[in-house]
Amino acid sequence: CRVVSVGLNGDTAFESDLHSRAPHCVIHGFDGTLTGERAYLRGKLPAFLKFVPQNFGPSSFAQFTDQGIQAVDVLKIDCDTCEHRSLRPWIDQICTDQILLEYHAGSSPQTACGPLGTTPRNRIYKMHHLFTRLHADYDIFAYEENDIATANLQKSSGRSPLGFRGYCGEYALKRRVPCAMDRRG
């Protein structure tokens, strides 16, 4: 069992709960933001977590393929827009059975769910581009609107969050052909 968690933000509740239920799983955690004033959060990370002090990027898969790792059971990704440039290269190189994706349609972490600096056309295009690639191998088995991100946008923009619904959400995807079966041919 191998799990990769992207975007810890100093909060390892998911990883800790998973570890309590499946202590045999190896859990890797990517987060390059735990520096400077936030460096103290690194000291709070649990000992079982294999911490990678880098942001998840288009070549992050190489850290695994260089070690001969070709598959992971779960990829949890919450990286405030990095999924647009990083998720496709990951799944092209690392067979991943399940993806837990907090999706953001904006162009930057500051406007992840909102219209500032983006157009509806751009957001739909980005979403379509990513989900078309995911649909080749994955089915969505759960979805939940990201109300926290939408509410934060409402506070910062003064606009109703209903205008931004559908641009940020929590998706759970499962690979149609499990990696173990795919490797057997």
Side-chain angles (χ1 to χ4, degrees):
C1 173
R2 186 173 306 275
V3 176
V4 175
S5 183
V6 176
L8 300 171
N9 198 27
D11 177 3
T12 56
F14 168 82
E15 297 77 11
S16 295
D17 186 52
L18 178 65
H19 180 70
S20 72
R21 296 168 191 259
H24 63 284
C25 288
V26 176
I27 304 174
H28 304 264
F30 279 81
D31 197 324
T33 69
L34 304 183
T35 60
E37 293 178 6
R38 297 170 43 84
Y40 74 94
L41 294 170
R42 289 173 76 165
K44 295 182 177 192
L45 298 176
F48 66 80
L49 184 74
K50 291 183 176 255
F51 180 60
V52 181
Q54 299 170 353
N55 287 327
F56 194 71
S59 60
S60 292
F61 66 85
Q63 295 182 37
F64 293 85
T65 57
D66 289 351
Q67 297 175 42
I69 298 169
Q70 299 175 345
V72 300
D73 297 280
V74 177
L75 170 66
K76 179 184 120 350
I77 182 168
D78 176 5
C79 57
D80 296 343
T81 73
C82 88
E83 64 272 11
H84 296 291
R85 67 186 181 285
S86 306
L87 187 53
R88 292 181 64 186
W90 174 271
I91 63 173
D92 288 344
Q93 298 297 319
I94 303 288
C95 189
T96 306
D97 280 322
Q98 288 189 30
I99 301 171
L100 307 176
L101 169 65
E102 181 172 308
Y103 178 78
H104 302 91
S107 61
S108 71
Q110 293 76 28
T111 61
C113 299
L116 304 174
T118 66
T119 64
R121 181 179 181 271
N122 257 355
R123 291 188 301 276
I124 294 299
Y125 177 77
K126 284 182 176 203
M127 183 179 242
H128 172 74
H129 189 66
L130 179 62
F131 279 89
T132 296
R133 171 58 188 97
L134 290 171
H135 183 68
D137 296 310
Y138 295 88
D139 286 319
I140 297 170
F141 68 88
Y143 171 78
E144 181 177 299
E145 190 73 34
N146 187 329
D147 292 326
I148 294 172
T150 307
N152 287 341
L153 178 65
Q154 180 184 16
K155 285 181 196 172
S156 66
S157 70
R159 294 185 57 190
S160 166
L162 297 177
F164 307 131
R165 297 189 77 74
Y167 292 118
C168 281
E170 316 275 338
Y171 291 84
L173 301 101
K174 186 172 184 176
R175 199 165 192 277
R176 285 188 203 99
V177 177
C179 294
M181 293 180 73
D182 199 26
R183 283 178 271 175
R184 285 186 235 152

